[in-house]
């Protein structure tokens, strides 16, 4: 039986007026809080169950949570025991998958915890930014149209003194049109190559000849440039942590798989059999 959020909610609400034992005592994760059919339920079981609750329930008072989680564990243990030996193959296999998944997650979690240190983050920052030269950033605007003839006509109007922003609002088919074509600040590699090349070739205040990209035809105006300083460590901390975590996961998986004994029997299996739920229904 799959326990749902509604089941949890019903258990918690119905027991909201209950109270925990009055006498507090020193406890450990192994402290038994109930025994159902000879099976002990411990405080550790309760802590793990509480931590897995949906966020809205985790905000409840500890008194309500304690009694609700305890009763929920008692109920589900009794229900589990009521099955006896009548457990489907699918459920047994799901337990196997969930167990290996949890253990795999713990193995990776320990490796990540050991790898993501302040020293490692600082080293990653230094490797990327310590010797980095300031990069040029550009602020530009563009008018995007469908054809080269339209772009050429716009260039003639602009050369004749037409206002770039006004033309962009009137003619541009791009999302920046309502903002006068303003694209804000961007660095190298952030625009498609043809567009970037046109921007780099301009001096501030200049307007390009029509430029074709995969999006259509552009007339580009470079407003200004600036040198971007390297970001602070805190500004890129999450990015660096994610990189360290990713590299750690790759390294751990590679190391484990190199030492794992994996046997793949040479049997012919129709890939479509993965959809056959009848095989695990009994």
């Amino acid at each position: 039986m799959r326990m749902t959020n509604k089941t949890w909610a019903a258990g918690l609400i119905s027991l909201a007026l209950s109270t925990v034992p009055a006498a507090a005592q020193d406890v450990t994760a192994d402290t038994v809080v109930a025994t159902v059919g000879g099976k002990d339920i411990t405080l550790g079981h309760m802590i793990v169950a509480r931590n897995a609750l949906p966020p809205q329930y985790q905000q409840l008072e500890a008194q309500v949570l304690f009694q609700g989680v305890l009763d929920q564990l008692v109920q589900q243990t009794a229900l589990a025991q009521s099955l006896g030996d009548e457990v489907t193959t699918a459920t047994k296999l799901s337990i196997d998958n969930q167990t290996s998944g949890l253990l795999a997650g713990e193995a990776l979690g320990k490796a990540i915890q050991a790898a993501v240190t302040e020293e490692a983050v600082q080293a990653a920052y230094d490797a990327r930014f310590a010797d980095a030269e300031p990069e040029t950033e550009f602020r530009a605007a563009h008018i995007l149209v469908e054809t080269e003839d339209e772009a050429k006509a716009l260039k003639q109007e602009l050369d004749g003194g037409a206002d770039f922003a006004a033309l962009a609002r009137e003619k541009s088919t791009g999302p920046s049109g309502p903002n006068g074509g303003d694209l804000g600040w961007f660095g190298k590699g952030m625009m498609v190559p043809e567009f970037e090349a046109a921007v780099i070739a301009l001096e501030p205040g200049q307007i390009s000849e029509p430029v074709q990209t995969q999006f259509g035809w552009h007339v580009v105006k470079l407003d200004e440039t600036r040198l971007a300083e390297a970001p602070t460590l805190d500004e890129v901390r999450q990015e660096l942590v994610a990189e360290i975590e990713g590299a750690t996961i790759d390294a751990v998986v590679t190391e484990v798989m190199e030492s794992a004994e994996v046997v793949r029997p040479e049997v012919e299996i129709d890939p479509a059999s993965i959809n056959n739920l009848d095989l695990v229904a009994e």
Side-chain angles (χ1 to χ4, degrees):
M1 176 177 179
R2 178 171 295 177
M3 310 307 290
T4 66
N5 288 350
K6 289 184 178 179
T7 305
W8 277 101
L12 290 172
I13 293 171
S14 67
L15 292 162
L17 299 179
S18 301
T19 59
V20 295
Q25 58 183 14
D26 292 335
V27 294
T28 69
D30 294 327
T31 298
V32 175
V33 292
T35 302
V36 181
K39 177 178 175 58
D40 288 339
I41 298 173
T42 67
L43 181 60
H45 289 117
M46 293 185 64
I47 293 170
V48 173
R50 182 258 182 228
N51 193 55
L53 283 172
Q56 63 267 35
Y57 297 130
Q58 295 201 31
Q59 297 174 6
L60 295 173
E61 294 180 1
Q63 182 173 344
V64 174
L65 276 174
F66 186 96
Q67 203 63 45
V69 170
L70 176 56
D71 266 36
Q72 187 65 47
L73 289 177
V74 168
Q75 291 170 13
Q76 74 180 32
T77 302
L79 285 167
Q81 292 175 351
S82 72
L83 275 175
D85 295 329
E86 298 178 5
V87 181
T88 65
T89 300
T91 297
K92 293 176 182 178
L93 295 173
S94 293
I95 292 171
D96 286 345
N97 286 345
Q98 290 177 29
T99 298
S100 61
L102 285 170
L103 294 176
E106 182 168 350
L108 290 175
K110 287 182 176 179
I112 289 171
Q113 185 176 13
V116 181
T117 63
E118 189 61 30
E119 293 76 14
V121 174
Q122 183 67 56
Y125 176 84
D126 292 341
R128 182 185 297 185
F129 297 109
D131 298 323
E133 296 292 332
E135 294 188 357
T136 301
E137 290 187 328
F138 308 88
R139 182 167 186 174
H142 77 139
I143 304 173
L144 176 64
V145 290
E146 294 183 0
T147 68
E148 183 179 13
D149 287 341
E150 290 177 283
K152 286 180 177 179
L154 287 170
K155 182 63 165 63
Q156 288 183 346
E157 289 188 64
L158 292 167
D159 288 343
D163 182 74
F164 192 97
L167 272 183
R169 284 190 286 269
E170 179 184 353
K171 302 288 188 179
S172 183
T173 61
S176 65
N179 295 325
D182 185 18
L183 296 170
W185 288 98
F186 56 89
K188 293 181 179 179
M190 297 178 65
M191 298 294 181
V192 294
E194 302 89 345
F195 190 94
E196 179 179 292
V199 172
I200 293 175
L202 296 173
E203 294 293 331
Q206 284 187 326
I207 297 174
S208 73
E209 295 296 327
V211 179
Q212 185 179 24
T213 73
Q214 65 200 68
F215 303 106
W217 286 87
H218 310 253
V219 179
V220 185
K221 178 184 178 184
L222 176 61
D223 291 321
E224 55 182 321
T225 64
R226 68 183 181 189
L227 289 178
E229 298 295 332
T232 66
L233 175 58
D234 284 340
E235 287 174 334
V236 293
R237 179 180 297 277
Q238 294 304 313
E239 179 182 346
L240 296 174
V241 166
E243 290 180 359
I244 295 171
E245 290 179 349
T248 300
I249 291 172
D250 289 343
V252 170
V253 171
T254 298
E255 180 182 356
V256 168
M257 293 309 300
E258 286 176 350
S259 60
E261 182 180 349
V262 180
V263 179
R264 301 179 191 269
E266 295 183 3
V267 294
E268 288 282 342
I269 299 178
D270 181 358
S273 62
I274 197 173
N275 299 319
N276 188 357
L277 291 176
D278 291 338
L279 294 177
V280 295
E282 294 184 358

